[in-house]
């Protein structure tokens, strides 16, 4: 049987693509279709990354030469992520294999618009024009991609979430606890969040901030100390899937004040856990969070607005709970893997892939009693 060849970063890495692919696996996609996953990148030094990429292309070439590829599904972001995958698109075209370019990450518009010259822009457009299908994470990204390509098969496919059967009771959450998950840096709004927390009124001096992520950990520690927040900020490091549930169940507000995004898994996971969200209207986020309903949207870099929204939610647990419940309903209506995965699987079949077997979906198992109580 021919295989779906999927290419992307190692699932052991820290980042959005790895999280999405893991949900695909947990939701049963790798059981329902014969998928050969080829890792193109992993955390480590330059030599480790080079070896990984060389092995990836050797594996891809072997599959193509043997005629075993039904289609190629490539997960990519911008900059190095895109250029690592660039030869894969050319090889698939050479061998006549249908190809899905699946765009993740929020920096591609800037990468294309301001960081690439004429030649690189042409190379990017050439790939987009010639793949069989372009998948993006939101309607906003669909509009942007249609502006740079002649390809008429551009589709928005939300990132999927697997939700537990129920959310934790609000009374069991730690009071006034703000959670942020993701790489710590300026682009994610880490330092804006620290400054906003420092500006909260004395009545919220007990509020705590947990930053779960890799990146600029020491810089964040220094910034917290300089703002007088050393005792109120937990730098938890990268939080893996098993520990993540505990953090989401303990917090009272989730914050992601990013400057650009695709459709962040952490926001969807927080909503699935019943948390109100304070974030920014970038990328596909406004399709998940409506200002004043599931949480609040503030402009990137607006520290005073961020402080005000945090203050509103931390001072009013009933409001936070209502918004968290609205977020959970939004996830159940639009973002569960039981809704998203069938669309991807139909696309696979349309492009020539043959299902291997049926398998129970993780959401269905959770709703039959495997979740929290």
């Amino acid at each position: 049987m021919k295989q779906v060849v999927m290419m992307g970063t190692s699932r052991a890495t820290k980042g959005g693509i790895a999280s999405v692919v893991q949900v695909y696996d947990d939701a049963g996609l790798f059981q329902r279709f014969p998928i050969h996953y080829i890792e193109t990148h992993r955390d480590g030094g330059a030599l480790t990354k080079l070896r990984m990429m060389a092995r990836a292309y050797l594996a891809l070439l072997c599959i193509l030469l043997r005629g075993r590829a039904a289609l190629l599904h490539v997960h990519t972001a911008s900059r190095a992520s895109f250029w690592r995958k660039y030869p894969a698109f050319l090889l698939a075209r050479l061998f006549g294999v249908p190809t899905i370019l699946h765009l993740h990450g929020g920096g591609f518009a800037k990468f294309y618009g301001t960081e690439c010259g004429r030649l690189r822009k042409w190379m990017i457009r050439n790939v987009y024009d010639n793949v069989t299908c372009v998948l993006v994470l939101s309607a906003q990204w669909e509009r942007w991609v249609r502006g740079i390509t002649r390809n008429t098969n551009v589709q928005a496919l939300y990132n999927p979430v697997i939700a537990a059967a129920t959310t934790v009771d609000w009374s069991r959450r730690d009071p006034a606890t703000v959670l942020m998950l993701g790489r710590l840096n300026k682009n994610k709004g880490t330092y804006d969040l620290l400054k906003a927390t420092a500006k909260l009124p004395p009545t919220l001096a007990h509020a705590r901030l947990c930053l779960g992520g890799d990146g600029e950990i020491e810089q964040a520690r220094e910034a917290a100390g300089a703002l007088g927040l050393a005792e109120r900020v937990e730098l938890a490091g990268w939080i893996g899937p098993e520990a993540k549930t505990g953090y989401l169940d303990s917090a009272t507000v989730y914050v992601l004040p990013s400057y650009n995004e695709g459709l962040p898994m952490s926001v969807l996971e927080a909503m699935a856990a019943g948390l109100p969200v304070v974030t920014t209207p970038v990328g596909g986020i406004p399709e998940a969070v409506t200002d004043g309903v599931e949480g609040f949207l503030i402009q990137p870099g607006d520290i005073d607005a961020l402080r005000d929204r945090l203050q509103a939610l931390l001072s009013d647990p009933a409001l936070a709970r209502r918004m968290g419940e609205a977020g959970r309903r939004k996830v159940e209506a639009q973002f569960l893997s039981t809704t998203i995965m069938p669309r991807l699987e139909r696309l696979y079949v349309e492009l020539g892939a043959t299902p291997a077997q049926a398998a129970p979906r993780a959401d269905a198992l959770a709703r039959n009693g495997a979740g929290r109580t």
Side-chain angles (χ1 to χ4, degrees):
M1 178 181 289
K2 289 189 175 183
Q3 301 170 314
V4 175
V5 181
M6 187 181 293
M7 300 186 76
T9 188
S10 167
R11 285 188 279 175
T13 61
K14 308 173 180 71
I17 291 177
S19 297
V20 171
V21 173
Q22 188 59 55
V23 172
Y24 284 0
D25 194 1
D26 292 342
L29 180 67
F30 284 55
Q31 287 73 50
R32 289 189 292 275
F33 282 82
I35 295 177
H36 185 103
Y37 190 79
I38 298 178
E39 298 179 345
T40 58
H41 169 267
R42 71 182 312 149
D43 296 331
L47 185 58
T48 297
K49 293 177 181 178
L50 183 61
R51 287 173 176 167
M52 173 71 72
M53 190 169 68
R55 286 196 295 267
Y57 277 101
L58 179 60
L60 175 61
L61 189 57
C62 287
I63 293 172
L64 292 173
L65 287 170
R66 294 165 59 195
R68 296 292 304 278
L71 67 91
L72 177 66
H73 182 173
V74 182
H75 298 276
T76 185
S78 56
R79 304 180 180 90
S81 175
F82 179 81
W83 296 121
R84 273 194 303 272
K85 319 295 175 39
Y86 183 80
F89 297 116
L90 303 184
L91 283 171
R93 193 190 315 174
L94 177 64
F95 282 86
V97 174
T99 306
I100 299 170
L101 187 162
H102 200 153
L103 178 61
H104 300 259
F108 205 93
K110 179 181 178 182
F111 162 64
Y112 176 84
T114 65
E115 300 175 16
C116 293
R118 287 185 178 181
L119 176 59
R120 289 193 169 193
K121 285 182 178 179
W122 176 86
M123 294 170 70
I124 292 169
R125 290 195 304 271
N126 183 259
V127 166
Y128 277 81
D129 288 347
N130 287 285
V131 296
T132 314
C133 177
V134 179
L135 287 181
V136 294
L137 305 185
S138 67
Q140 184 270 343
W141 275 108
E142 181 181 349
R143 290 190 293 271
W144 184 86
V145 168
R146 289 186 181 277
I148 69 164
T149 182
R150 298 191 302 270
N151 196 325
T152 58
N153 193 3
V154 181
Q155 303 180 31
L157 183 75
Y158 292 140
N159 284 336
V161 177
I162 295 174
T166 59
T167 60
V168 69
D169 189 271
W170 196 263
S171 64
R172 293 170 54 191
R173 297 185 179 276
D174 296 336
T177 299
V178 177
L179 176 65
M180 174 181 168
L181 301 174
R183 187 150 288 165
L184 308 186
N185 56 36
K186 183 181 184 300
N187 183 63
K188 289 292 186 182
T190 303
Y191 305 106
D192 294 341
L193 178 55
L194 288 169
K195 292 173 184 176
T197 302
K199 297 179 75 172
L200 289 171
T203 53
L204 290 172
H206 61 293
R208 295 179 60 255
L209 174 60
C210 176
L211 301 177
D214 62 348
E216 300 173 4
I217 294 177
E218 289 309 313
Q219 295 92 320
R221 192 186 312 277
E222 292 175 5
L227 291 166
L229 297 174
E231 300 302 318
R232 296 167 57 189
V233 175
E234 177 188 357
L235 293 164
W238 188 264
I239 297 173
E242 294 182 1
K244 188 186 300 183
T245 299
Y247 281 91
L248 290 170
D249 285 350
S250 297
T252 44
V253 179
Y254 184 80
V255 183
L256 188 70
S258 294
Y259 284 71
N260 55 65
E261 286 287 351
L263 181 60
M265 286 293 293
S266 67
V267 166
L268 300 179
E269 290 168 343
M271 293 169 65
L275 284 174
V277 175
V278 182
T279 185
T280 52
V282 298
I285 290 177
E287 294 172 43
V289 180
T290 301
D291 186 40
V293 181
E294 298 87 13
F296 293 113
L297 298 176
I298 55 115
Q299 291 302 312
D302 192 337
I303 295 169
D304 287 341
L306 180 54
R307 174 206 57 203
D308 292 345
R309 302 305 185 269
L310 286 175
Q311 181 177 341
L313 289 168
L314 294 174
S315 301
D316 190 345
L319 173 65
R321 182 173 183 170
R322 285 198 303 274
M323 287 186 163
E325 291 171 346
R328 169 71 182 208
R329 290 193 296 271
K330 174 70 81 63
V331 164
E332 290 178 340
Q334 296 186 25
F335 298 102
L336 288 181
S337 68
T338 47
T339 299
I340 304 302
M341 299 310 295
R343 284 194 55 205
L344 178 61
E345 293 172 24
R346 283 195 296 271
L347 178 60
Y348 278 5
V349 172
E350 289 169 6
L351 296 185
T354 303
Q357 61 182 26
R361 298 181 189 275
D363 297 55
L365 294 176
R367 293 180 179 281
N368 284 332
R372 287 165 283 178
T373 60

